[in-house]
Amino acid sequence: MPPYLLGLRLSGRRVVVVGGGRVAQRRVPALLAAGAEVVLVAPEVTPSLDGLIADGRLTWLRRPYRTGDLEGAWLVQAVSDDPKVNAAVAAEAERARIWCVRADDAQASAAWTPASGQVGETTVGVLAGGDPRRAAGIRDAIVDGLRDATLEARHSRRKPVGVALVGGGPGDPGLITVRGRQLLAQADVVITDRLAPRLLLDELPSDVEVIDAAKIPYGRTVTQEKINDYLVEHARAGKFVVRLKGGDPFVFGRGAEEVLHCARHGIPVTVVPGVTSAVAVPAAAGIPVTHRGVSQEFHVVSAHVDPAHPASTVDWEALGRSQGTLVLLMAVERMGRIANALMRYGRSPDTPVAVVQDGTLPDQRALTATLGTVVEEMAAAGVRPPAIVVVGDVVDVAREIDMIRADYLAGEAGSVASPADQHGDLGRAP
C-alpha cells in the first residue's frame, strides 16, 4: 500500500534519535529546524553532532539505548549502526503507538522520512518506494525548479500583493537572486528597465503585462513620475507588480524614490536586493575592487553629471587624492573631463584604468589603459554604454592573472591565447 504523506509540526514536541552516526548527523538538524526537542541516545557522536550538543541545542544521553527511552516521544528515529538495536527501538515504539523510522530497513519501518527540501515557504517531500537515492534526485529537480521559478505557481491563496522592487543583477539572467526570480514568476505586471535581464521576460506567461520603462541616454525615455504612476495604478487595481531593475535598486537605481511614492499612496513594497554592477562587472573581467596590499577601499561614483557642473555632488578633489579604487558608472560620455579632474587633483596619468562594456553578457568586452590614455583608447575601440570604468592599481592584478593563465596554458598546449583574449579584449595599453 502507498504511504500516507503528512507534514508533522514538531515545535516543542519530544523526538528521540537513537544513534549518533552519519545518518543522525543528516536528520538531527532538520528536526531542530522544525522546533523539535531532540533527545539523542548514543555512546558516541560525530563531530558535527558534538557541536550541536555543545551549543545546547539538544539533549545527549551518552550511553546505549535502553527500554523506556522513548517515553513521552512523538516521533522516533532509529538510526544506529546495529540492526538489533534499531529493531528493539522499533518494537518499543510500536507497543507505545509512536511513529518510528528505521534507517536500516525501509520495509520494516512504520514510517519513512522523505527526501525533503525547502524554498521560501514551500516544503517538498518525496518518497520513491523506499529508494532514497531516487527520491533525493526527484527532490533536487523539484527544488531547482522552485528556485529558478520554472515550477512557480502564479495563482495561490497567498499571492504577493502590492509592488516588489527587484534588483535584476548586472545583466546575465543567471545572476538575479532566487527571491527575485520567484517574485517575477508570480507577477501580473512587470515594469522593466533597459538594463534589466530581459531574457527573463521571455519566460513569463503570455497574460503578464510587460511595461517597458527604459531610459535611453539621449533617446526615448519614460519619466520617473510616469513610472511611479504605473506602480500605484496597477497595484491599486489588485495586481501584483514587479519593478524589475538592473543591478541593485538602491545603487543609483532610484529605488528609494519609488518606495517613497508607493508609501505615500499606501502601497506595500517588497525590496529584493540585486547584485550591483559596480562590483560584479569588474569581477567578471577578473578585476577585484579591493586586494590585499593594493587597495583597502573602493568608491562607487555616478558620473552622469560633469565634474565641473554645479549640480555635481561628487568630491572629485578627494577622489583625486585617494589611493583607493574608483568604480565609475555612466562615465563613458564624460570620461575625458573625469580623467582630467582626477589628474588635476593628484592621480598620476600612469594610473591603470579598465573599461568593461556589456559586463557579464556574452558580448562582454574589456580594455585596459592608463588615466592619461584611456580617452583615446575608448574612442579607438568604439566603447559605448553601458560600460563600467575602474581606476586604480587593482587593474594590474587582473593583468597579472591573465599573464599567469597565458603562461600556464602556453606551457600545457604550446601556444594558447589568454582567457581575456578569447573573450574579445579590445586592446591593452603597452
Side-chain angles (χ1 to χ4, degrees):
M1 299 293 292
Y4 182 82
L5 285 173
L6 189 68
L8 298 181
R9 303 179 68 185
L10 296 175
S11 180
R13 292 180 166 88
R14 180 184 178 93
V15 176
V16 177
V17 178
V18 179
R22 289 182 298 173
V23 178
Q25 179 177 291
R26 292 198 308 269
R27 297 192 181 179
V28 166
L31 294 169
L32 293 173
E37 294 181 358
V38 177
V39 177
L40 183 64
V41 183
E44 297 179 351
V45 298
T46 66
S48 178
L49 289 170
D50 198 21
L52 295 174
I53 294 165
D55 291 340
R57 299 189 62 190
L58 68 155
T59 301
W60 182 22
L61 302 182
R62 192 172 185 173
R63 57 168 175 77
Y65 160 76
R66 298 173 186 168
T67 300
D69 283 343
L70 309 188
E71 184 176 353
W74 293 73
L75 176 67
V76 177
Q77 295 268 353
V79 295
S80 80
D81 295 331
D82 188 340
K84 293 182 180 179
V85 172
N86 292 338
V89 172
E92 181 183 350
E94 188 73 16
R95 291 192 299 270
R97 295 187 177 183
I98 302 170
W99 288 109
C100 177
V101 179
R102 279 191 65 172
D104 62 325
D105 190 342
Q107 299 308 314
S109 182
W112 292 342
T113 297
S116 61
Q118 187 162 359
V119 180
E121 296 180 343
T122 302
T123 300
V124 175
V126 179
L127 297 174
D131 185 340
R133 290 189 178 183
R134 182 166 182 267
I138 296 172
R139 181 271 319 274
D140 291 344
I142 295 172
V143 167
D144 288 346
L146 290 173
R147 283 178 176 161
D148 65 18
T150 57
L151 292 181
E152 186 60 69
R154 289 180 57 214
H155 304 289
S156 65
R157 292 182 179 179
R158 301 178 63 183
K159 184 178 177 63
V161 297
V163 171
L165 196 62
V166 175
D172 182 344
L175 294 178
I176 189 173
T177 64
V178 171
R179 181 62 173 155
R181 191 149 189 174
Q182 290 169 347
L183 291 177
L184 182 63
Q186 299 180 71
D188 299 309
V189 178
V190 176
I191 303 174
T192 183
D193 271 355
R194 180 175 67 96
L195 299 180
R198 298 206 163 214
L199 286 177
L200 295 178
L201 302 179
D202 292 338
E203 301 175 3
L204 298 175
S206 59
D207 61 335
V208 176
E209 182 179 358
V210 177
I211 299 174
D212 189 340
K215 295 184 177 73
I216 301 174
Y218 313 108
R220 182 182 64 82
T221 186
V222 177
T223 66
Q224 187 61 50
E225 291 72 20
K226 187 62 176 177
I227 294 171
N228 294 343
D229 290 342
Y230 283 144
L231 296 173
V232 172
E233 173 189 345
H234 289 287
R236 279 184 169 170
K239 298 177 180 179
F240 176 51
V241 183
V242 168
R243 175 72 169 108
L244 183 63
K245 291 175 168 286
D248 183 282
F250 281 6
V251 179
F252 304 126
R254 304 186 75 167
E257 296 179 37
E258 296 171 0
V259 174
L260 284 168
H261 186 80
C262 289
R264 293 186 184 111
H265 290 81
I267 304 298
V269 178
T270 300
V271 178
V272 181
V275 178
T276 175
S277 59
V279 175
V281 168
I287 303 169
V289 294
T290 63
H291 189 70
R292 186 174 62 171
V294 177
S295 177
Q296 300 177 16
E297 60 181 317
F298 69 97
H299 307 266
V300 180
V301 180
S302 172
H304 70 288
V305 178
D306 190 285
H309 197 283
S312 175
T313 62
V314 178
D315 190 343
W316 291 103
E317 183 175 354
L319 295 178
R321 294 194 308 267
S322 170
Q323 297 302 308
T325 304
L326 304 184
V327 181
L328 309 177
L329 282 63
M330 297 172 279
V332 171
E333 300 296 333
R334 284 159 290 278
M335 196 57 215
R337 291 184 288 275
I338 292 170
N340 288 336
L342 291 173
M343 290 186 288
R344 182 168 65 252
Y345 291 127
R347 290 267 179 165
S348 168
D350 295 327
T351 303
V353 178
V355 183
V356 186
Q357 178 181 307
D358 295 321
T360 77
L361 296 174
D363 54 351
Q364 172 181 309
R365 301 189 297 168
L367 68 84
T368 58
T370 66
L371 202 55
T373 65
V374 65
V375 176
E376 295 176 2
E377 295 277 359
M378 290 172 64
V383 173
R384 54 171 176 73
I388 303 291
V389 179
V390 183
V391 180
D393 291 337
V394 292
V395 173
D396 284 340
V397 177
R399 283 175 167 173
E400 182 180 359
I401 293 171
D402 279 349
M403 288 188 292
I404 292 173
R405 285 175 172 169
D407 290 344
Y408 177 80
L409 291 173
E412 288 290 310
S415 178
V416 179
S418 73
D421 292 334
Q422 293 174 4
H423 285 81
D425 184 27
L426 291 180
R428 298 184 181 278

